[in-house]
């Protein structure tokens, strides 16, 4: 579709390849940055990939990429993803591949066909000249013209110089005779001066020897002073490090002291609070010591009262039964008496027996009904009484069960309380152990940090030694590989050489200087193991330096130590401690070295024993005669630093292991503490639950006691009611019996004697029974009163028991809390004691650190004072040495000047010099003054006349030769200009002929039967082709589309015909200067169908030699295309998508329909 951005892809290719976008300003580069969705990009790039299988580009690869990247501040080219040094590198590569900057017509943009068709004849001729590459000739001609102008200038200057030189040579010829006379006197002067200078130089050399001797002495003194200075400086640095370490430890200790004081203050306050709390509890529980005895007495008293209450109850039941019996008997007796008196009054009541009997029968029926009802009531009451008694029995059983349950709970509570105390003791003990272990672990952690810092410092110091950083990296890499390797590799690796032997401290310098970097070679069992390790190291790309010593490849060598006197020298291996299996490695590294006590012994034995010798200070003498040495600081010793580093690593590892063990122990104690805390919590919960249940049981028992009392009272009342009903029943039965007996006898107005006697007996019996009844009631009242008193006492005692139980329970709880508080107090006291002890230790450490810091500070200050004095001495020595150096330099300069002066005097004739050999310095000076006076008359003589004459003669010859060379150069440049002009014209003419030929061919292909020709304008008839080309002012095309008359005026052609002519012109240019590929952007837009087909055929015919990329909206071009691509606009960006031919044809047809 139009507007989808297909031309942008052509512009992107031009952006990389053509010269159109070569120089872009900042705003132009920013305007090229694509604005799509999201933030504005800061850079953009175009990359073109070329097929280089034919090696068109001078690159040994099948594909070549050229990329150009721009931003607001950059414009860079990349060749195969590598930044190009400059644009010329890219241009040169493109020119090599066939992309000519003078012929940009391998890219034909939209509208370019029309511009070619409508351009002037002059512009067409300019195009021919550009294609011919005349710019190259023009640039070369400008360079030749500039060189010719420079040569003319130089020729004129040389001519002026030659004229001046001839005048000067003529003048110098007259001065030569006077100069000969001057030379005779001057020879004497030079001889005298030579004698004087030679004497002065001998004197200066003698002074020089004395000065060098003094310097040598000062050098020895300065060397010793420097050694002392370095040692003092090392001590000062060590003291400062120690002081800094002490200050750090002191700072940490002060922090610990502050923390400990805070902890002690808190512990003291906690201890005082616990002591006050325990004191209050003791005061509160002081009066409760006899509470348990009192409770036992109260419970015993309660049991006694309960027994007495039971006894009284039993007695009351007996007495009340007897009273009820007497009452019943009394009622029956009174009933009999009353009936007797009632029978006596019947006569008065009834007139006849029948009336009486009728009434009696009526009363009998009533009584029988009442008796039957009474019996039913008695049965119901007996049932109710039995139920009440059963409830009372069940209640007593339940209460007894509650009491047993309460007793069991009290036992369980006591057991739980005991278990709780034991668990609390265990918990306190574990907490104490945990605190001690945590404190110890914290101390170890602090030590670990100090050791880690020391290890880091030593490692950094070791890495600063030249060559040690890659060695340590290599050792770390090997350890990493071995950590993941098989046991065979691990067993076959023995570590570094330095790890496999030991030596006395005083031997460290000698060992270090003898072995050098061999100390850090890796010892392995076989070379196969070394190979496997190296393969794994390379595979993982691990860093470091790796030098292996396989035991199977290195054999122990025997050296002759017979020349070494044990008092003066000894083999270094004698002082080394190593495994016999490693004797080959140790012999290889140290076997050839003797340790000597003096440097003289080193020099002597190195010369005679064919062994390397070394002193304990590291001064060496090799068997080859090379001596080396000087003061070697232990601070730069590889072995000493490595040993210190390994010691620090070992200590750090041990402390880390101890910390890990401590942390494991802390974890175990914390786990155990958690378990014990769980047990404590469970026992506390059990106690709380038991106390809650116990409280409920006590309340329940109290309720049950009240219920039992109510039931007992109810049973008693019901029993009394039943007794009363039974008495009423007996009375009614007696009444009924009396009535029935009365029915059997007549009505009498008087009692019979028997009845009277019986009545008297009844009266007496009634009186006796009443008297007994009253006594029984009196006893019952007494027992009731006694029972009430006992019940009151029981209520009071029971209340006392409950109060005592509550107080004892409270006291027991307080005892438990007191025990817990006592445990906390003991723990706090123990912890306080330990913290106080730690505080005392820390205070002692603080005092010790203060003393040590003062001591170290004093030592550092003293050593700094010594350093300052040494520096002052060295400064003074240095100043003296500088003076000697200045004197030496002055003498050297004097000797040099004298030597130069001797050399400047030139060769002095010996016979002249012998005249002044025995003369003193003063005599020579006087003789020199005389000669100087003679030379004064020659002051105006040109002393250099002869030299100048020779010099000017040589210069004149050189200038003549230079003039000849310049004239040759001028001739050469003029010839070159003529050649360039000729070649330029020839090239333009050749290009024109090729263009004309190509134009005819291409036009005949585009327009079958048509003809075309390119004609120069502006020339005259009769001129040669070369002259016509040189005098031409334009180029026109004559074409014929029908084979008839050619039309010279292209303006008379239609737009399509102009496009055909312009396209033929461009294709002719391309055939003159072929390119690897061509870009055509809608070149067929203005053509009709026949011409489009012809263009497609021409392009297809040339596609075998170059790649053609064209854009079109016409189907004719698609038929000849090898591949088709569609350009679509999506998401504010253009996309190129490969499509099939049919899809491309549909795409073009759809576009035609839409248009």
């Amino acid at each position: 579709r139009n507007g989808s951005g297909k031309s942008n892809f052509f512009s992107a290719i031009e952006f990389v390849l053509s010269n159109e976008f070569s120089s872009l300003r900042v705003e132009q580069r920013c305007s090229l940055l694509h604005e799509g969705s999201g933030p504005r990009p800061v850079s953009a790039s175009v990359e073109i990939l070329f097929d280089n299988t034919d090696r068109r580009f001078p690159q040994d690869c099948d594909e070549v990429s050229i990329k150009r990247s721009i931003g607001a501040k950059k414009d860079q080219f990349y060749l195969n993803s590598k930044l190009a040094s400059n644009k010329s590198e890219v241009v040169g590569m493109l020119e090599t591949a066939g992309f000519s900057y003078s012929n940009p017509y391998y890219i034909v943009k939209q509208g370019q066909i029309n511009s070619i068709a409508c351009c002037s004849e002059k512009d067409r001729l300019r195009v021919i000249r550009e294609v011919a590459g005349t710019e190259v000739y023009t640039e070369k001609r400008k360079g030749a013209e500039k060189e010719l102008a420079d040569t003319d200038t130089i020729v004129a200057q040389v001519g002026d110089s030659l004229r001046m030189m001839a005048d000067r040579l003529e003048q110098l010829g007259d001065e030569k005779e006077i100069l000969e006379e001057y030379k005779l006197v001057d020879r004497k002067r030079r001889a005298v001066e030579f004698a004087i200078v030679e004497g002065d130089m001998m004197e200066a050399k003698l002074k020089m020897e004395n000065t060098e001797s003094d310097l040598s002495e000062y050098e020895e003194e300065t060397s010793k002073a420097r050694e002392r200075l370095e040692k003092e400086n090392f001590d000062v640095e060590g003291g400062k490090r120690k002081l800094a370490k002490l200050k750090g430890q002191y700072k940490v200790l002060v922090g610990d002291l502050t923390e400990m004081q805070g902890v002690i203050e808190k512990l003291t306050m906690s201890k005082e609070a616990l002591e006050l709390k325990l004191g209050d509890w003791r005061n509160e529980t002081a009066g409760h010591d006899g509470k348990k005895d009192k409770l036992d007495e109260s419970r015993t008293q309660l049991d006694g009262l309960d027994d007495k209450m039971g006894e009284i109850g039993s007695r009351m039941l007996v007495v009340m039964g007897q009273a009820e019996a007497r009452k019943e008997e009394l009622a029956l007796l009174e009933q009999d008496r009353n009936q007797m008196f009632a029978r006596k009054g019947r006569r008065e009541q009834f007139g006849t027996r029948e009336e009486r009997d009728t009434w009696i029968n009526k009363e009998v029926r009533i009584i029988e009904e009442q008796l039957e009802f009474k019996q039913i009531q008695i049965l119901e009451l007996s049932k109710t009484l039995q139920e009440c008694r059963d409830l009372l029995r069940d209640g007593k059983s339940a209460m007894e069960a509650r009491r047993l349950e309460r007793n069991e709970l009290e036992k369980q509570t006591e057991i739980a309380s005991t278990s709780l105390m034991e668990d609390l003791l265990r918990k306190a003990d574990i907490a104490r152990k945990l605190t001690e272990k945590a404190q110890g672990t914290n101390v170890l952690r602090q030590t670990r940090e100090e050791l880690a810092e020391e290890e880091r410092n030593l490692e950094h110091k070791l890495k600063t030694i030249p060559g040690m950083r890659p060695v340590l990296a290599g050792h770390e890499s090997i350890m990493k590989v071995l950590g993941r390797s098989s046991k065979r590799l691990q067993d076959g690796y023995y570590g570094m050489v330095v790890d496999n032997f030991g030596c006395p401290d005083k031997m460290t310098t000698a060992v270090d200087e003898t072995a050098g970097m061999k100390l850090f070679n890796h010892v392995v069992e076989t070379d196969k193991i070394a190979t496997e390790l190296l393969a794994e190291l390379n595979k993982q790309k691990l860093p470091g330096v790796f030098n292996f010593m396989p035991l199977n490849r290195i054999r122990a060598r025997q050296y002759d130590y017979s020349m070494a006197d044990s008092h003066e020298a000894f083999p270094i291996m004698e002082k080394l401690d190593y495994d016999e299996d490693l004797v080959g490695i140790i012999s290889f590294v140290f076997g050839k070295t003797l340790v000597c006590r003096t440097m003289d012994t080193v020099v002597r034995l190195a010369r005679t024993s064919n062994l390397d010798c070394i002193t304990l200070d590291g001064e060496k003498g090799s068997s080859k005669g090379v001596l080396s040495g000087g003061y070697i600081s232990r601070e730069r010793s590889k072995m000493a630093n490595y040993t210190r580093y390994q010691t620090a690593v070992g200590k750090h590892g041990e402390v880390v292991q101890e910390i890990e063990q401590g942390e494991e122990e802390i974890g175990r104690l914390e786990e155990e503490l958690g378990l014990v805390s769980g047990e404590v919590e469970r026992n506390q919960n059990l106690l709380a639950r038991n106390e809650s249940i116990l409280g409920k049981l006590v309340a329940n028992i109290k309720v049950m006691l009240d219920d039992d009392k109510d039931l007992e009272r109810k049973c008693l009342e019901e029993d009394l009611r039943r007794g009363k009903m039974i008495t009423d029943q007996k009375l009614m039965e007696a009444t009924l019996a009396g009535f029935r007996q009365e029915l059997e006898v007549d009505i009498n107005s008087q009692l019979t004697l028997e009845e009277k006697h019986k009545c008297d007996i009844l009266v007496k019996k009634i009186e006796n029974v009443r008297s007994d009844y009253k006594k029984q009631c009196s006893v019952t009242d007494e027992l009731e009163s006694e029972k009430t008193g006992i019940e009151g006492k029981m209520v009071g005692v029971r209340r006392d028991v409950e109060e005592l139980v509550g107080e004892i329970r409270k006291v027991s709880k307080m005892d438990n809390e007191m025990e817990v508080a006592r445990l906390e107090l003991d723990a706090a006291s123990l912890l306080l004691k330990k913290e106080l002890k730690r505080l005392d230790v820390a205070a002692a450490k603080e005092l010790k650190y203060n003393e040590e810091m003062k001591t170290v500070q004093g030592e550092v200050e003293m050593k700094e004072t010594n350093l300052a004095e040494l520096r002052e001495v060295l400064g003074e020595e240095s100043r003296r040495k500088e003076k000697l150096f200045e004197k030496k330099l002055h003498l050297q300069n004097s000797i040099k000047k004298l030597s130069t002066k001797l050399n400047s005097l030139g060769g002095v004739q010996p016979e002249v010099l012998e005249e002044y050999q025995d003369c003193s310095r003063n005599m020579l000076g006087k003789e020199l003054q005389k000669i100087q006076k003679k030379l004064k008359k020659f002051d105006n003589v040109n002393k250099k006349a002869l030299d100048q004459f020779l010099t000017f003669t040589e210069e004149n010859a050189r200038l003549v030769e230079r003039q000849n060379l310049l004239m040759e150069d001028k001739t050469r440049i003029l010839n070159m200009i003529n050649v360039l002009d000729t070649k330029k014209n020839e090239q333009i003419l050749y290009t024109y002929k090729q263009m004309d030929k190509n134009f005819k061919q291409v036009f005949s292909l585009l327009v079958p039967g048509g003809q075309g020709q390119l004609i120069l304008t502006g020339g005259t008839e009769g001129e040669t082709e070369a002259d016509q080309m040189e005098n031409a002012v334009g180029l026109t095309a004559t074409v014929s589309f029908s084979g008839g008359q050619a039309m010279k005026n292209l303006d008379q052609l239609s737009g399509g015909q102009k496009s055909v002519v312009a396209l033929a012109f461009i294709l002719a240019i391309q055939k003159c200067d072929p390119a690897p590929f061509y870009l055509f952007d809608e070149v067929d837009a203005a053509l009709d169908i026949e011409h489009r087909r012809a263009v497609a055929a021409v392009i297809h015919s040339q596609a075998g030699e170059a790649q053609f990329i064209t854009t079109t909206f016409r189907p004719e071009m698609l038929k000849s295309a090898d591949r088709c691509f569609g350009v679509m606009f999506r998401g504010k960006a253009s996309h190129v998508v490969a499509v099939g031919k049919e899809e491309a044809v549909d795409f073009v047809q759809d576009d035609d329909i839409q248009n």
Side-chain angles (χ1 to χ4, degrees), residues 356-613:
R356 183 202 69 180
D357 290 343
T358 302
W359 180 80
I360 287 174
N361 287 329
K362 184 180 178 181
E363 289 296 324
V364 166
R365 286 194 300 273
I366 293 171
I367 290 172
E368 284 178 350
E369 291 176 0
Q370 290 179 349
L371 182 61
E372 185 180 357
F373 180 71
K374 186 64 71 176
Q375 287 175 348
I376 292 171
Q377 283 185 331
I378 288 171
L379 287 173
E380 290 178 353
L381 193 59
S382 297
K383 185 178 179 181
T384 303
L385 180 61
Q386 186 61 40
E387 290 176 354
C388 188
R389 285 175 178 170
D390 291 341
L391 287 173
L392 181 60
R393 185 177 63 254
D394 293 341
K396 288 185 178 295
S397 299
M399 187 171 66
E400 186 64 26
R402 293 290 187 272
R403 283 176 178 165
L404 292 174
E405 188 177 353
R406 183 190 66 185
N407 294 335
E408 184 64 27
L409 277 173
E410 287 177 349
K411 289 180 182 178
Q412 290 181 4
T413 302
E414 187 175 355
I415 293 170
S417 179
T418 305
S419 178
L420 177 62
M421 295 310 299
E422 292 175 355
D423 290 339
L424 287 171
L425 288 172
R426 282 179 60 205
K427 182 179 178 181
D429 184 57
I430 293 170
R432 176 182 57 78
K433 289 180 181 178
L434 183 61
T435 303
E436 292 175 355
K437 182 57 69 175
Q439 289 176 349
T441 306
N442 287 334
V443 172
L444 286 174
R445 287 194 183 100
Q446 182 179 348
T447 306
R448 179 186 64 186
E449 295 301 323
E450 293 174 359
L451 289 174
E453 182 65 25
E454 182 181 0
E455 180 184 339
R456 284 192 294 271
N457 292 335
L458 289 172
E459 183 182 9
H460 175 70
K461 187 175 181 181
L462 187 60
K463 287 182 177 179
T464 58
I465 298 175
M468 287 304 297
R469 183 180 293 276
V471 166
L472 292 177
H475 182 257
E476 185 178 352
S477 298
I478 288 180
M479 291 298 103
K480 188 181 295 184
V481 169
L482 290 174
R484 295 193 291 266
S485 299
S486 63
K487 190 173 185 303
R488 183 179 64 82
L489 277 180
Q490 294 175 358
D491 294 340
Y493 179 75
Y494 291 85
M496 293 190 291
V497 174
V498 70
D499 298 322
N500 287 281
F501 72 90
C503 69
D505 288 341
K506 64 181 181 179
M507 296 285 296
T508 301
T509 303
V511 168
D512 196 358
E513 290 299 313
T514 299
M517 294 306 293
K518 291 180 184 177
L519 285 170
F520 305 99
N521 289 356
H522 301 276
V523 182
V524 292
E525 187 174 5
T526 63
D527 50 355
K528 186 177 180 181
I529 289 176
T531 304
E532 291 180 11
L533 284 173
L534 277 174
E536 190 63 29
L537 288 165
N538 292 329
K539 180 181 178 182
Q540 298 184 22
K541 297 182 180 179
L542 296 175
V545 172
F546 313 99
N547 294 309
F548 291 95
M549 287 187 171
L551 291 175
N552 65 330
R553 294 291 185 181
I554 297 178
R555 298 286 181 266
R557 289 183 58 187
Q558 299 297 325
Y559 294 95
D560 183 12
Y561 301 126
S562 59
M563 298 291 293
D565 184 359
S566 60
H567 296 290
E568 295 181 351
F570 55 87
I572 194 171
M573 286 182 62
E574 290 182 357
K575 301 298 181 180
L576 304 181
D577 183 16
Y578 54 89
D579 193 342
E580 288 299 325
D581 295 338
L582 302 174
V583 65
I585 299 295
I586 302 301
S587 174
F588 176 76
V589 178
F590 299 102
K592 197 180 177 182
T593 303
L594 295 175
V595 178
C596 303
R597 303 191 184 280
T598 63
M599 193 61 192
D600 294 336
T601 308
V602 168
V603 175
R604 178 171 58 81
L605 289 179
R607 187 182 303 114
T608 59
S609 66
N610 198 29
L611 296 173
D612 296 333
C613 300

Side-chain angles (χ1 to χ4, degrees), residues 1018-1051:
T1020 59
E1021 295 182 1
E1023 289 181 333
T1024 64
E1025 290 181 343
D1027 293 337
Q1028 287 181 356
M1029 176 57 68
E1030 184 176 358
N1031 298 324
V1033 296
L1035 181 70
T1036 185
T1038 60
V1039 295
S1040 172
F1041 284 86
S1042 59
Q1045 183 69 29
M1047 293 180 289
K1048 295 182 180 180
N1049 189 1
L1050 295 180
D1051 293 336

Side-chain angles (χ1 to χ4, degrees), residues 105-124:
Y105 290 99
Y106 62 90
I107 299 175
V108 181
K109 298 185 290 185
Q110 285 188 30
Q112 197 167 3
I113 297 294
N114 187 47
S115 64
I116 291 293
C118 300
C119 70
S120 64
E121 295 176 353
K122 183 178 180 181
D123 289 337
R124 288 195 196 96

Side-chain angles (χ1 to χ4, degrees), residues 42 57 151 153 463 607 677 696 761 794 800 824 906 949 1012:
V42 296
F57 288 94
T151 302
T153 302
K463 287 182 177 179
R607 187 182 303 114
S677 299
K696 291 179 181 179
I761 292 171
M794 286 182 71
D800 293 341
E824 291 178 355
F949 183 81

Side-chain angles (χ1 to χ4, degrees), residues 128-147:
I128 295 294
R129 288 173 175 167
E130 286 179 357
V131 172
T134 56
E135 291 296 327
V136 176
Y137 295 102
T138 303
E139 291 295 327
K140 288 184 179 180
R141 195 179 195 287
K142 287 181 180 179
E145 289 175 351
K146 183 176 183 302
E147 187 177 357

Side-chain angles (χ1 to χ4, degrees), residues 4-18:
S4 59
K6 59 185 182 303
S7 298
N8 291 342
F9 289 99
F10 279 43
S11 298
I13 295 173
E14 285 187 282
F15 172 73
V16 178
L17 301 180
S18 73

